[in-house]
Amino acid sequence: AATAPRIPSTRLALHHFDTSYSLHLGALWPSVRAALLCEQKYGALLNNFAAAGHVPQELELLNATDFVSEASQKVQQWQRGAAAGEAARRCQEGSEMSPPLCASISSKIKCYTFPRGDITRFRPARPDSLGLLDYYLMDAASLLPVLALNVQPGDFVLDLCAAPGGKTLALLQTGLCGHLAANDISISRTKRLYQILHSYVPKEVRDTVSVTSYDGRDWDQVKGGTFHKVLVDVPCTTDRHSAMEEDNNIFHKRRTKERQMLPMLQLQLLMAGILAAKPGAEVLYSTCSLSPLQNECVVE
């Protein structure tokens, strides 16, 4: 142990991914691997609480676009095409038409990204006259669970593993949460969540958010069966971080047991999220890993 060359955690992670994901993803793996190893590309989540009406125009001049509204337009085009095809089919069969599908993407969430292949960096966020920052830089894919959760007016929402706070902030941007509970077991990460809330959210809105540091697995003992929407964004192998950063890397040899126990932890957190929900509520489970063991297998 003392004389063997030390293998970096990032190389251990990449070897693990090459072994498992090449089987899982097949011919897609080389391009996914390249994406994992590319420089991280951020989106700019606009802060609706800041006086920053000039920001969209400023970003559009830089050739950035709001991927949420673009996606919504594509969904509507697809629905129109699908509805036309369905109408033709039903006319041939002589059956009645069904109403078109509804796009369930919050129009209040706006996140600007640069086009594919463009890795231009956004300028640092700036404060408005009240000190609220104009946008929050995050991985745009992190917005997808929030959009899929489809919060409705007055919903009681639980973000079970909330820190560092990007998804919590995005949930508040919808302006629809009747109450938002943001929980994370890590007190140091919860401090980061508090910082984000103070930097982006006015006091009257912060007062509708309760921040706690319980073990998420025990949440049903705190407040079970009370939420309309529950986001369970669990700790995982965080594939990009594991392949790129030595700091706090879960593939470090000292963390092998912790890594192997992740699917069990994820399952326990998902069960707690289900128990936190009201009957008829919706629970959304997400990771930032490609691993079927941490995704499909946990849900199954």
Side-chain angles (χ1 to χ4, degrees):
T3 57
R6 181 176 171 273
I7 302 173
S9 303
T10 49
R11 195 188 302 174
L12 291 174
L14 201 53
H15 175 71
H16 174 81
F17 298 155
D18 282 332
T19 306
S20 56
Y21 294 164
S22 59
L23 294 173
H24 174 50
L25 296 171
L28 287 174
W29 172 235
S31 60
V32 174
R33 187 185 199 271
L36 275 180
L37 296 174
C38 280
E39 182 177 346
Q40 186 153 12
K41 184 172 174 175
Y42 288 100
L45 173 68
L46 290 198
N47 184 13
N48 294 325
F49 303 115
H54 63 285
V55 174
Q57 188 177 6
E58 177 191 330
L59 295 178
E60 285 161 13
L61 286 172
L62 295 172
N63 202 28
T65 56
D66 172 22
F67 91 87
V68 181
S69 63
E70 279 188 345
S72 185
Q73 289 165 10
K74 287 177 183 174
V75 167
Q76 288 167 4
Q77 289 169 2
W78 175 82
Q79 286 174 341
R80 283 195 290 269
E86 178 71 2
R89 184 183 70 78
R90 287 179 178 272
C91 282
Q92 287 174 348
E93 295 176 357
S95 58
E96 294 180 10
M97 279 205 53
S98 60
L101 298 166
C102 292
S104 59
I105 298 178
S106 171
S107 60
K108 291 190 177 178
I109 292 183
K110 297 189 183 305
C111 185
Y112 281 79
T113 57
F114 290 106
R116 183 172 182 170
D118 183 346
I119 55 169
T120 304
R121 295 191 177 194
F122 289 98
R123 62 160 172 78
R126 295 175 186 150
D128 68 0
S129 57
L130 297 175
L132 297 177
L133 297 177
D134 53 6
Y135 55 62
Y136 178 77
L137 295 180
M138 66 190 300
D139 189 320
S142 295
L143 265 189
L144 299 179
V146 174
L147 295 171
L149 201 58
N150 191 25
V151 178
Q152 298 300 304
D155 274 353
F156 277 45
V157 182
L158 169 61
D159 188 353
L160 191 62
C161 309
K167 294 181 183 68
T168 304
L169 179 61
L171 284 165
L172 290 172
Q173 297 302 315
T174 66
L176 299 172
C177 301
H179 176 73
L180 176 59
N183 178 75
D184 200 278
I185 190 172
S186 167
I187 292 173
S188 61
R189 282 164 59 86
T190 306
K191 286 179 182 173
R192 169 79 176 127
L193 173 57
Y194 272 117
Q195 288 172 355
I196 287 175
L197 291 175
H198 278 268
S199 299
Y200 289 88
V201 181
K203 185 178 186 307
E204 62 271 19
V205 179
R206 290 202 304 269
D207 289 342
T208 68
V209 183
S210 59
V211 178
T212 54
S213 293
Y214 297 114
D215 186 330
R217 293 171 290 186
D218 302 328
W219 184 268
D220 61 301
Q221 298 170 28
V222 181
K223 206 180 284 184
T226 54
F227 293 94
H228 301 97
K229 298 286 168 70
V230 180
L231 175 59
V232 187
D233 184 60
V234 293
C236 64
T237 46
T238 344
D239 293 353
R240 175 189 286 280
H241 179 90
S242 296
M244 298 288 280
E245 302 287 340
E246 279 298 308
D247 184 47
N248 197 30
N249 194 312
I250 200 163
F251 280 85
H252 193 287
K253 289 191 173 180
R254 285 198 299 267
R255 302 182 70 184
T256 301
K257 184 72 173 175
E258 179 188 349
R259 190 177 76 250
Q260 290 170 344
M261 292 302 291
L262 272 175
M264 179 56 69
L265 170 63
Q266 292 160 344
L267 176 62
Q268 291 169 328
L269 287 166
L270 177 54
M271 291 297 293
I274 291 168
L275 292 170
K278 294 166 74 80
E282 294 179 50
V283 178
L284 194 140
Y285 174 82
S286 62
T287 74
C288 42
S289 168
L290 297 166
S291 164
L293 280 175
Q294 298 174 64
N295 291 302
E296 297 92 326
C297 293
V298 170
V299 174
E300 285 168 14

